[in-house]
PDB file of all heavy atoms in Angstrom:
ATOM      1  N   LEU A 162     111.192  74.310  69.950  1.00  0.00           N
ATOM      2  CA  LEU A 162     112.299  74.661  70.854  1.00  0.00           C
ATOM      3  C   LEU A 162     112.358  76.163  71.130  1.00  0.00           C
ATOM      4  O   LEU A 162     112.530  76.571  72.273  1.00  0.00           O
ATOM      5  CB  LEU A 162     113.627  74.203  70.270  1.00  0.00           C
ATOM      6  CG  LEU A 162     114.010  72.764  70.502  1.00  0.00           C
ATOM      7  CD1 LEU A 162     115.301  72.423  69.770  1.00  0.00           C
ATOM      8  CD2 LEU A 162     114.147  72.457  71.983  1.00  0.00           C
ATOM      9  N   LEU A 163     112.234  76.971  70.095  1.00  0.00           N
ATOM     10  CA  LEU A 163     112.321  78.411  70.284  1.00  0.00           C
ATOM     11  C   LEU A 163     111.181  78.949  71.151  1.00  0.00           C
ATOM     12  O   LEU A 163     111.360  79.888  71.922  1.00  0.00           O
ATOM     13  CB  LEU A 163     112.344  79.127  68.942  1.00  0.00           C
ATOM     14  CG  LEU A 163     113.652  78.993  68.165  1.00  0.00           C
ATOM     15  CD1 LEU A 163     113.486  79.480  66.726  1.00  0.00           C
ATOM     16  CD2 LEU A 163     114.785  79.737  68.855  1.00  0.00           C
ATOM     17  N   GLU A 164     110.009  78.328  71.046  1.00  0.00           N
ATOM     18  CA  GLU A 164     108.862  78.818  71.820  1.00  0.00           C
ATOM     19  C   GLU A 164     108.783  78.248  73.232  1.00  0.00           C
ATOM     20  O   GLU A 164     108.332  78.913  74.157  1.00  0.00           O
ATOM     21  CB  GLU A 164     107.563  78.501  71.065  1.00  0.00           C
ATOM     22  CG  GLU A 164     106.343  79.129  71.703  1.00  0.00           C
ATOM     23  CD  GLU A 164     105.082  78.956  70.853  1.00  0.00           C
ATOM     24  OE1 GLU A 164     105.190  78.747  69.634  1.00  0.00           O
ATOM     25  OE2 GLU A 164     103.997  79.034  71.447  1.00  0.00           O
ATOM     26  N   HIS A 165     109.238  76.993  73.418  1.00  0.00           N
ATOM     27  CA  HIS A 165     109.006  76.311  74.692  1.00  0.00           C
ATOM     28  C   HIS A 165     110.265  75.763  75.343  1.00  0.00           C
ATOM     29  O   HIS A 165     110.179  75.169  76.415  1.00  0.00           O
ATOM     30  CB  HIS A 165     108.029  75.143  74.488  1.00  0.00           C
ATOM     31  CG  HIS A 165     106.745  75.545  73.873  1.00  0.00           C
ATOM     32  ND1 HIS A 165     105.751  76.180  74.575  1.00  0.00           N
ATOM     33  CD2 HIS A 165     106.291  75.419  72.591  1.00  0.00           C
ATOM     34  CE1 HIS A 165     104.731  76.413  73.765  1.00  0.00           C
ATOM     35  NE2 HIS A 165     105.031  75.965  72.560  1.00  0.00           N
ATOM     36  N   GLY A 166     111.421  75.942  74.733  1.00  0.00           N
ATOM     37  CA  GLY A 166     112.627  75.254  75.164  1.00  0.00           C
ATOM     38  C   GLY A 166     113.451  75.868  76.262  1.00  0.00           C
ATOM     39  O   GLY A 166     114.520  75.351  76.577  1.00  0.00           O
ATOM     40  N   GLY A 167     113.008  76.963  76.851  1.00  0.00           N
ATOM     41  CA  GLY A 167     113.767  77.552  77.962  1.00  0.00           C
ATOM     42  C   GLY A 167     115.189  77.865  77.569  1.00  0.00           C
ATOM     43  O   GLY A 167     115.451  78.522  76.562  1.00  0.00           O
ATOM     44  N   ALA A 168     116.145  77.356  78.363  1.00  0.00           N
ATOM     45  CA  ALA A 168     117.570  77.604  78.089  1.00  0.00           C
ATOM     46  C   ALA A 168     117.995  77.032  76.735  1.00  0.00           C
ATOM     47  O   ALA A 168     118.844  77.604  76.059  1.00  0.00           O
ATOM     48  CB  ALA A 168     118.428  77.021  79.200  1.00  0.00           C
ATOM     49  N   SER A 169     117.395  75.947  76.327  1.00  0.00           N
ATOM     50  CA  SER A 169     117.713  75.377  75.006  1.00  0.00           C
ATOM     51  C   SER A 169     117.280  76.326  73.891  1.00  0.00           C
ATOM     52  O   SER A 169     117.917  76.409  72.856  1.00  0.00           O
ATOM     53  CB  SER A 169     117.041  74.022  74.815  1.00  0.00           C
ATOM     54  OG  SER A 169     117.569  73.087  75.701  1.00  0.00           O
ATOM     55  N   ALA A 170     116.189  77.056  74.124  1.00  0.00           N
ATOM     56  CA  ALA A 170     115.734  78.050  73.134  1.00  0.00           C
ATOM     57  C   ALA A 170     116.757  79.163  73.018  1.00  0.00           C
ATOM     58  O   ALA A 170     117.057  79.623  71.903  1.00  0.00           O
ATOM     59  CB  ALA A 170     114.378  78.622  73.541  1.00  0.00           C
ATOM     60  N   VAL A 171     117.308  79.587  74.142  1.00  0.00           N
ATOM     61  CA  VAL A 171     118.334  80.631  74.128  1.00  0.00           C
ATOM     62  C   VAL A 171     119.557  80.143  73.360  1.00  0.00           C
ATOM     63  O   VAL A 171     120.109  80.855  72.516  1.00  0.00           O
ATOM     64  CB  VAL A 171     118.711  81.058  75.570  1.00  0.00           C
ATOM     65  CG1 VAL A 171     119.892  82.013  75.560  1.00  0.00           C
ATOM     66  CG2 VAL A 171     117.512  81.669  76.265  1.00  0.00           C
ATOM     67  N   ALA A 172     119.964  78.901  73.617  1.00  0.00           N
ATOM     68  CA  ALA A 172     121.137  78.334  72.921  1.00  0.00           C
ATOM     69  C   ALA A 172     120.884  78.242  71.416  1.00  0.00           C
ATOM     70  O   ALA A 172     121.751  78.571  70.610  1.00  0.00           O
ATOM     71  CB  ALA A 172     121.471  76.966  73.501  1.00  0.00           C
ATOM     72  N   LEU A 173     119.687  77.786  71.038  1.00  0.00           N
ATOM     73  CA  LEU A 173     119.356  77.675  69.616  1.00  0.00           C
ATOM     74  C   LEU A 173     119.321  79.053  68.966  1.00  0.00           C
ATOM     75  O   LEU A 173     119.878  79.242  67.861  1.00  0.00           O
ATOM     76  CB  LEU A 173     118.019  76.959  69.410  1.00  0.00           C
ATOM     77  CG  LEU A 173     117.535  76.824  67.963  1.00  0.00           C
ATOM     78  CD1 LEU A 173     118.549  76.077  67.101  1.00  0.00           C
ATOM     79  CD2 LEU A 173     116.179  76.134  67.922  1.00  0.00           C
ATOM     80  N   ALA A 174     118.716  80.025  69.618  1.00  0.00           N
ATOM     81  CA  ALA A 174     118.681  81.380  69.066  1.00  0.00           C
ATOM     82  C   ALA A 174     120.095  81.926  68.892  1.00  0.00           C
ATOM     83  O   ALA A 174     120.407  82.577  67.886  1.00  0.00           O
ATOM     84  CB  ALA A 174     117.858  82.300  69.969  1.00  0.00           C
ATOM     85  N   TRP A 175     120.965  81.663  69.865  1.00  0.00           N
ATOM     86  CA  TRP A 175     122.355  82.117  69.780  1.00  0.00           C
ATOM     87  C   TRP A 175     123.059  81.459  68.608  1.00  0.00           C
ATOM     88  O   TRP A 175     123.764  82.103  67.844  1.00  0.00           O
ATOM     89  CB  TRP A 175     123.082  81.813  71.099  1.00  0.00           C
ATOM     90  CG  TRP A 175     124.504  82.258  71.116  1.00  0.00           C
ATOM     91  CD1 TRP A 175     124.977  83.526  71.284  1.00  0.00           C
ATOM     92  CD2 TRP A 175     125.652  81.427  70.955  1.00  0.00           C
ATOM     93  NE1 TRP A 175     126.347  83.533  71.234  1.00  0.00           N
ATOM     94  CE2 TRP A 175     126.788  82.250  71.033  1.00  0.00           C
ATOM     95  CE3 TRP A 175     125.839  80.059  70.736  1.00  0.00           C
ATOM     96  CZ2 TRP A 175     128.085  81.765  70.910  1.00  0.00           C
ATOM     97  CZ3 TRP A 175     127.121  79.572  70.623  1.00  0.00           C
ATOM     98  CH2 TRP A 175     128.225  80.425  70.704  1.00  0.00           C
ATOM     99  N   GLU A 176     122.883  80.130  68.452  1.00  0.00           N
ATOM    100  CA  GLU A 176     123.510  79.412  67.329  1.00  0.00           C
ATOM    101  C   GLU A 176     123.021  79.966  65.995  1.00  0.00           C
ATOM    102  O   GLU A 176     123.805  80.142  65.061  1.00  0.00           O
ATOM    103  CB  GLU A 176     123.212  77.911  67.425  1.00  0.00           C
ATOM    104  CG  GLU A 176     123.966  77.227  68.529  1.00  0.00           C
ATOM    105  CD  GLU A 176     123.596  75.765  68.662  1.00  0.00           C
ATOM    106  OE1 GLU A 176     123.139  75.168  67.652  1.00  0.00           O
ATOM    107  OE2 GLU A 176     123.758  75.211  69.752  1.00  0.00           O
TER     108      GLU A 176
END
Side-chain angles (χ1 to χ4, degrees):
L162 276 175
L163 287 168
E164 187 173 337
H165 305 283
S169 294
V171 173
L173 178 58
W175 181 77
E176 288 177 24

